[in-house]
Amino acid sequence: ITPWGEGRISIAAVNGPSSVVVSGEPTALEELLASCEADEVRARRVPVDYASHSAQVELLREELLELLAPVEPKTAEVPFLSTVTGEWVEGPELDAEYWFTNLRRTVELEGAVRRLLDEGFGAFIESSAHPVLAMGVQETAEDAGREAAAIGSLRRDEGGLDRFWASVGEAWTRGVAVDWAGVFEGTGAARVELPTYAFQHQ
């Protein structure tokens, strides 16, 4: 992206060793896509109507800081490793300035995943309407020489409980502890004994 300069194209996110997102001026992005195609580099357009994580966000700085000013951060109840700072977040620092910076700067997902792997984490669940980051997480783990599970939750056009339960089942088969009683609470589901094979009596 060097020929277009920081002002026209920015690195929006580093999702893994082979997955990077750029953002910026539409004309510059079209030129970059054409350049990638000519060089046989796989690239595709992500259909969004705003250039987040780019220099263009600076135009909205004052407005966003004003809109976000009422945000009153509290102490985090769930451990939170920031892809903005690469550090563990306590909670009170998640003020308007933090969220503006989050929208302006590069999302350093790969760096955050590497840190989590180094700290002993091995299960990554992408809670979203469609998993787009799981592949980058898996590639990062493989590149780091670590065993890890990267699992989605829902999928495009599959947003119901059946899809969610299938994802929970996948997590369980990958070693994640699941509170099955909690998952099926209120559904009437119950454990049953499975029959054995004719040649297997236990």
Side-chain angles (χ1 to χ4, degrees):
I1 64 173
T2 303
W4 290 274
E6 170 66 21
R8 299 191 67 204
I9 298 179
S10 303
I11 296 176
V14 180
N15 292 333
S18 67
S19 178
V20 175
V21 179
V22 297
S23 179
E25 296 177 9
T27 304
L29 293 174
E30 288 296 337
E31 293 169 3
L32 175 62
L33 279 170
S35 175
C36 288
E37 187 176 332
D39 293 339
E40 298 183 355
V41 172
R42 183 179 175 271
R44 67 178 182 87
R45 173 180 292 284
V46 178
V48 295
D49 57 1
Y50 55 93
S52 58
H53 310 292
S54 78
Q56 292 188 12
V57 176
E58 290 294 340
L59 299 172
L60 301 172
R61 180 182 179 82
E62 297 309 316
E63 181 182 354
L64 288 172
L65 288 176
E66 183 180 336
L67 288 170
L68 293 168
V71 172
E72 295 182 26
K74 296 184 170 36
T75 302
E77 295 180 17
V78 176
F80 176 0
L81 183 71
S82 171
T83 58
V84 176
T85 65
E87 300 296 328
W88 289 101
V89 172
E90 297 294 326
E93 64 270 52
L94 300 178
D95 58 7
E97 185 68 38
Y98 175 89
W99 292 113
F100 172 79
T101 303
N102 179 283
L103 185 64
R104 168 62 181 92
R105 286 190 24 199
T106 301
V107 177
E108 298 287 354
L109 179 67
E110 180 184 1
V113 170
R114 287 184 185 277
R115 177 160 182 185
L116 290 167
L117 290 166
D118 287 345
E119 293 190 16
F121 292 88
F124 298 84
I125 298 176
E126 183 175 353
S127 299
S128 68
H130 187 71
V132 295
L133 301 175
M135 184 181 299
V137 170
Q138 195 68 56
E139 284 183 356
T140 301
E142 290 168 6
D143 188 65
R146 303 289 177 82
E147 284 290 324
I151 300 153
S153 53
L154 303 174
R155 292 188 184 280
R156 190 175 293 116
D157 301 323
E158 296 179 57
L161 274 176
D162 286 348
R163 172 68 256 173
F164 181 74
W165 286 335
S167 296
V168 171
E170 181 185 352
W172 184 74
T173 65
R174 302 289 301 273
V176 176
V178 174
D179 174 9
W180 289 111
V183 169
F184 291 109
E185 185 177 1
T187 66
R191 286 185 177 272
V192 297
E193 291 296 323
L194 294 177
T196 60
Y197 292 106
F199 56 84
Q200 186 180 31
H201 300 288
Q202 292 185 340

